[in-house]
Amino acid sequence: MANVLTPQGEDFPRWYQDVIAKAQLAENGPAKGSQVIRPTGFALWERMTAELDERIKETGTENASFPLLIPESYFTREADHVEGFAPELWMVTHGGGKELEEKLAIRPTSETVIGEYMAKWINSYRDLPLLLNQWCNVMRYEMRTRLFLRSSEFLWQEGHTVHETYEDAHAFTLRILHEVYADFIENVLALPVLRGIKTEAERFAGALNTFAVESLMRDGKALQMGTSHELGQNFAKAFDIQFQGRDGQQHHGWTTSWGVSTRMVGGLIMGHGDDAGLRVPPNLAPVQVSVMVVKDTDEVQAAAKKVYDELKDAGLRVKLDNRGDVAFGRRAVDAELKGYPVRIELGPRDLKNGEATIASRVEGTKRTVPIGMLAEAVAAALEEAQQQLWDEALAFRESHTADVATVEEAVEAAQTGYARVPWDACGVEGETKAAQSSVTVRVLQREDGSVPDSLDESGLIAYLARSY
RNA sequence: CGGGACGUGGCGCAGCUUGGUAGCGCACUCGCUUUGGGAGCGAGGGGUCGCAGGUUCAAAUCCUGUCGUCCCGACCA
């Protein structure tokens, strides 16, 4: 296997950058912190959006679109929110060559504008719940940026809902966490997640509670993959989201917001990638199978085209690599960099035997199968690859999670993965202390691994780790 | 913003110490031979050395400033 990347064990951040460059996923944009997502990288994001959008709609949420520019004054209406986001705002000060009377913020998140409109659209409890989502770009000023993981501008999905009661809002916040985010990340991305509640220090600005899903990267650092916030009545009061209740009285709604971003592409890269490049789980892969012409002859070309058509008809996402002017080795390396789960290699030797060579990216193995049985063989190989990526990621997490009793031990253990410690033994003081060593509390769980309803519960378990 | 490293054809680098008008590998173009794990030979194209000042007869090289990139922090999806 050719050594095209800096090995992970040698320099993980360098490896990450190498993969993104060599697999042609993204590169820096001209303005500081901006990024250009290239077709190969964007295809991954498109598949993520398709899978997530389906799950989001399954909850009854509808898509809409709100403005990019938000009047500055909107941000001052919720005290914690403005305090949290003011340092990150990009502000538009001029339009049409003139200075604006009121500055316009480029949205860093849209609770404020959307809140304004939700207030207009809600009159009665019969209008609830109001379940909205938008796919858009947002901008946050960032000190230090890294492709996909933290860029000034990024793509995401932000859901915003209003509910009649606390209970309904709370249940919906958790439904998104479990049925949309965790389900997608585990079943499609094949990355196990820790689900839990965030500590006060890690909570969203203006929220009552923030719930999150976290995954462990192959360098032992955690990545927040998605968050779901229970906003209480904070934003409802700030934006006057009121409705007439069943009792005839006016009540403030209970709102939620939740999002996942292009950061997840970074999570996919670092959660599964190896020294040969990306490893994309088949359930996500924009290209599940690449049919490769090994030798550029008429017979091989015709056979490859036929195989390509058959697999496509079988419902697989297939790419035909029939380039005759690029050496086979180069194309094979490229397929590995881009992480195509399965390759089918067709050459004169295979055809003579009525066979095709099928190569698995995850297992790193090759075998031959009769051409007539390709469709089943490929389907089986894809299923195996999905399962193996999951098994590996789960085993990695298990072997990189340590039970400890004190904050000191947690900081030590967090150098290689998660440290699990009773929240009572850590607490806010312990959290502050750990933060000095760049170790943070990722989530709190109940002892049985379930998600707490609030931070008030006793006997919670804290997961500490270094994080992105 | 604090600490460290670095900006030279698309990418990776050398040249800088000791100023003299830019070179290597890969990529790219053309031709021929090739294609079962990054092909070979031959011929080509492409760079005001991040930017702005300064010193000098002369600056990629020395000085000052500035912008940007990467790593480690603080902030964060």
Side-chain angles (χ1 to χ4, degrees), chain A residues 115 118-119 122-125 127-130 161-170 208 230-245 249-256:
Chain A
M118 293 196 298
I122 292 169
N123 297 300
S124 150
Y125 70 89
D127 298 324
L128 300 177
L130 177 59
T161 67
V162 190
H163 305 261
E164 187 180 351
T165 62
Y166 164 81
E167 288 73 22
D168 193 32
H170 179 74
L208 219 57
E230 188 175 29
L231 303 175
Q233 293 182 307
N234 295 343
F235 284 87
K237 285 177 179 164
F239 288 89
D240 205 29
I241 303 174
Q242 292 200 60
F243 64 93
Q244 188 170 21
Q249 305 295 308
Q250 288 294 313
H251 298 277
H252 282 107
W254 297 81
T255 66
T256 79

Side-chain angles (χ1 to χ4, degrees), chain A residues 219-283:
Chain A
D219 61 348
K221 288 170 86 169
L223 182 69
Q224 179 171 303
M225 300 288 276
T227 47
S228 187
H229 315 291
E230 188 175 29
L231 303 175
Q233 293 182 307
N234 295 343
F235 284 87
K237 285 177 179 164
F239 288 89
D240 205 29
I241 303 174
Q242 292 200 60
F243 64 93
Q244 188 170 21
R246 295 164 202 268
D247 58 2
Q249 305 295 308
Q250 288 294 313
H251 298 277
H252 282 107
W254 297 81
T255 66
T256 79
S257 70
W258 27 279
V260 298
S261 71
T262 35
R263 161 177 280 191
M264 263 195 323
V265 179
L268 171 75
I269 299 169
M270 293 192 296
H272 288 310
D274 66 14
D275 286 348
L278 236 51
R279 295 194 302 173
V280 184
N283 289 354

Side-chain angles (χ1 to χ4, degrees), chain A residues 12 47 57 103 122 155 176 214 243 263 270 281 331 412 431:
Chain A
F12 196 86
R47 282 285 306 139
K57 284 176 177 149
K103 292 184 203 160
I122 292 169
L155 306 181
I176 293 294
E214 300 259 339
F243 64 93
R263 161 177 280 191
M270 293 192 296
R331 292 184 285 137
E412 178 64 29
E431 186 179 18

Side-chain angles (χ1 to χ4, degrees), chain A residues 252-316:
Chain A
H252 282 107
W254 297 81
T255 66
T256 79
S257 70
W258 27 279
V260 298
S261 71
T262 35
R263 161 177 280 191
M264 263 195 323
V265 179
L268 171 75
I269 299 169
M270 293 192 296
H272 288 310
D274 66 14
D275 286 348
L278 236 51
R279 295 194 302 173
V280 184
N283 289 354
L284 181 80
V287 174
Q288 295 174 309
V289 197
S290 177
V291 179
M292 302 183 68
V293 167
V294 172
K295 211 155 199 160
D296 187 15
T297 68
D298 291 346
E299 293 76 26
V300 175
Q301 286 285 6
K305 180 68 168 67
K306 194 161 170 247
V307 166
Y308 167 79
D309 288 338
E310 278 173 17
L311 294 177
K312 214 171 168 189
D313 289 345
L316 298 173

Side-chain angles (χ1 to χ4, degrees), chain A residues 160-232:
Chain A
H160 298 271
T161 67
V162 190
H163 305 261
E164 187 180 351
T165 62
Y166 164 81
E167 288 73 22
D168 193 32
H170 179 74
F172 196 80
T173 307
L174 291 177
R175 182 176 178 191
I176 293 294
L177 191 78
H178 294 300
E179 295 178 21
V180 178
Y181 296 158
D183 181 77
F184 166 73
I185 296 167
E186 297 197 325
N187 294 319
V188 179
L189 295 189
L191 286 170
V193 294
L194 279 184
R195 317 165 191 207
I197 189 168
K198 287 287 188 182
T199 61
E200 202 177 334
E202 303 277 326
R203 180 190 290 160
F204 178 74
L208 219 57
N209 283 309
T210 288
F211 300 92
V213 282
E214 300 259 339
S215 288
L216 197 60
M217 304 293 101
R218 285 161 70 92
D219 61 348
K221 288 170 86 169
L223 182 69
Q224 179 171 303
M225 300 288 276
T227 47
S228 187
H229 315 291
E230 188 175 29
L231 303 175

